[in-house]
Amino acid sequence: MTVTALSVEGLTVRYDDKVALDDVSLRVAAGEIVALAGSSGSGKSTLAAAAIALLPPEARIEGSICIADIDLASLDEAGLQALRGGRVGMIFQEPATALNPALTIGRQIGEVLERHTPMTRREISGAVRKLLARVGLKIAPARHPHSLSGGQRQRVSIAMAIAADPALLIADEPTASLDPVAQQGIIALLVALVRERDMGLLLVTHDLTFARHIADRIVTLDQGRIVPAAARVAIPARQAPVAAAGAEVLRLANVTRTYPAKKGRVAALTDMSLSLARGETLAVIGESGSGKSTLARIALGLDRPDTGIAALGGRDWRSARGQELLGMRRRVQAVFQDPGASFDPRQRVGRIVAEPLHLLDPMPAVDRALLVAEALGHVGLAPDAADRLPYEFSGGQRQRIAIARALIIKPDLIVFDEALSALDDALRANIASLLIRLQTELGPAYLFIAHDMALVREMADRVLVLRDGRMVEQGTAATVLNLPRSAYTAALLASAQ
């Protein structure tokens, strides 16, 4: 007899007049991988949250949900808390919001073991180190989340989710923040856990190609209902590379950035030099922890190098003060990997998108509202999205909001830190097309940090490869992606196939 890890029957979720899920039924057997696919806003994350009773109080729910034959409706809050992290593990899409910034990663993994296993403190200490090693992290348990890259934080989240050997694992876009090499390792780990421990896996993803590689079955959602699977949408190619004929926007010359460690200092970037002109896209690729996000922060003026020059529009971030610094801030915007962590959850979307307008001269409220509506329209959101709160949107929709916020003041440079990784195929293609069009029309430079090589191939004029904070190679996109000089680059590209 096959054991059912998850059973969902006739699930309907409503928010006032909006139906988020409409009569959805699915099952995940023990030892089975079921991919839950669909575009942003289709209801995937709503179903995942419902499966562990984490929907907001205003949600009206009909139908039944059972995990390992336990009906969630029969549990009180104490029972649900025992279930979460015990019988069911959850990997969230946005690791920065899933981890406590005040606690070490060892402590956070250890808390799962303390709550859901009979281990002693000594046993927990050893188990934490084994879990970190199992998800591919060679780091000390005493590290804090803020000191890790996005991919490393996600792997910590995975270690927490599998710590108590759950019967069911729900993974909501578990590899969205990882580079191709790390993706393969994490997927191999999840598949091994499912097969070896007879654990069910509900894999929430927007990438059907990814789902087809590992899933036993695929269930596709569209507007809250189960529908037949759709074909992958191709990213539209730029007709010709944008000529880098504009003025230099960004220049890094011999930049080194180190951070304190237990034994001296550790280098995040070493002797980094690059130049980026208006109308040009420079893609930066490399494994998690290679220095990509540090490079992004230095380009934005959010971090300062120990040595070297980081100049925006010919002005050095380290020496800029007062009005000069404000003028530099007007010229650059960012779209980060984790949109949820960059929003104030209490602010409505209109205020979030309008945030960069404080860098411009004061303007009437009606003009601000028009600019917000225009920016939302660029990324495919209706004007009434301005009146809603971030939690009402899916992860992909929140990323569109972040892109709208970056576009609103038409900066000279936009830094994209894995900005399209949370988007489904169709939306990623639409946003890529939008970014290419805006670059052609307005001429901003893009510093494009990504691990999606298909996206890099279509978007980038040049590619820079990082490893351990050092530049491995740099050249035109065609040369680096088709004829890599470095064995490391070749391996990175092969892992993304």
Side-chain angles (χ1 to χ4, degrees), residues 460-489:
D461 298 306
R462 291 186 292 117
V463 175
L464 184 153
V465 184
L466 281 181
R467 184 182 190 185
D468 297 331
R470 294 181 179 273
M471 183 173 64
V472 175
E473 62 179 295
Q474 181 178 190
T476 66
T479 298
V480 173
L481 299 180
N482 297 325
L483 299 169
R485 299 192 307 270
S486 158
Y488 171 78
T489 303

Side-chain angles (χ1 to χ4, degrees), residues 452-463:
D452 185 332
M453 298 306 163
L455 188 62
V456 169
R457 191 178 296 275
E458 301 300 341
M459 293 285 299
D461 298 306
R462 291 186 292 117
V463 175

Side-chain angles (χ1 to χ4, degrees), residues 8-306:
V8 177
E9 297 290 344
L11 180 63
T12 297
V13 178
R14 292 186 176 89
Y15 295 95
D16 296 328
D17 295 331
K18 179 184 177 183
V19 179
L21 289 175
D22 187 2
D23 194 25
V24 171
S25 296
L26 65 85
R27 291 176 181 267
V28 180
E32 183 183 30
I33 300 174
V34 175
L36 184 63
S39 62
S40 298
S42 62
K44 305 188 305 296
S45 294
T46 298
L47 194 154
I52 52 174
L54 282 180
L55 291 173
E58 61 268 24
R60 290 183 293 150
I61 306 169
E62 300 171 11
S64 67
I65 303 170
C66 294
I67 292 176
D69 298 326
I70 301 172
D71 188 344
L72 297 193
S74 69
L75 300 176
D76 58 14
E77 185 57 33
L80 289 172
Q81 289 182 10
L83 186 82
R84 301 176 191 129
R87 298 297 292 161
V88 57
M90 184 76 185
I91 305 167
F92 293 97
Q93 179 176 328
E94 299 168 357
T97 57
L99 298 176
N100 187 333
L103 299 180
T104 66
I105 60 173
R107 178 59 182 161
Q108 294 184 65
I109 298 171
E111 283 184 343
V112 178
L113 296 169
E114 286 176 7
R115 184 175 183 82
H116 299 287
T117 76
M119 290 184 183
T120 65
R121 288 189 177 181
R122 177 175 293 181
E123 290 170 335
I124 286 173
S125 178
V128 166
R129 293 183 180 277
K130 289 181 180 179
L131 282 163
L132 288 173
R134 190 163 193 179
V135 297
L137 290 174
K138 298 179 180 179
I139 57 177
R143 297 276 293 273
H144 283 80
H146 70 83
S147 69
L148 307 179
S149 69
Q152 289 172 320
R153 287 194 293 265
Q154 188 61 297
R155 282 183 272 182
V156 172
S157 297
I158 292 171
M160 293 173 63
I162 66 174
D165 291 329
L168 172 70
L169 185 62
I170 301 175
D172 189 355
E173 305 283 7
T175 63
S177 62
L178 304 182
D179 63 80
V181 173
Q183 284 181 355
Q184 288 195 337
I186 291 301
I187 293 306
L189 170 64
L190 293 177
V191 171
L193 288 169
V194 169
R195 307 309 187 204
E196 295 167 7
R197 305 185 185 191
D198 211 26
M199 177 180 67
L201 172 60
L202 181 65
L203 176 68
V204 182
T205 181
H206 60 257
D207 190 337
L208 279 171
T209 301
F210 165 58
R212 291 185 184 108
H213 276 128
I214 71 165
D216 299 309
R217 292 189 293 117
I218 298 176
V219 176
T220 304
L221 284 178
D222 182 36
Q223 297 182 357
R225 296 185 65 88
I226 294 178
V227 298
R232 182 179 176 94
V233 179
I235 298 170
R238 188 164 51 189
Q239 293 300 312
V242 174
E248 183 182 69
V249 173
L250 176 69
R251 179 169 62 93
L252 270 58
N254 306 114
V255 164
T256 293
R257 180 66 172 108
T258 64
Y259 296 98
K262 282 188 174 180
K263 297 181 179 180
R265 299 182 70 85
V266 60
L269 285 178
T270 302
D271 197 26
M272 179 61 55
S273 297
L274 62 85
S275 177
L276 182 58
R278 280 188 59 83
E280 184 184 26
T281 297
L282 174 64
V284 182
I285 63 174
E287 295 178 88
S288 297
S290 63
K292 302 188 302 294
S293 292
T294 299
L295 175 60
R297 290 194 298 270
I298 287 176
L300 290 163
L302 300 178
D303 198 359
R304 305 296 168 91
D306 299 347

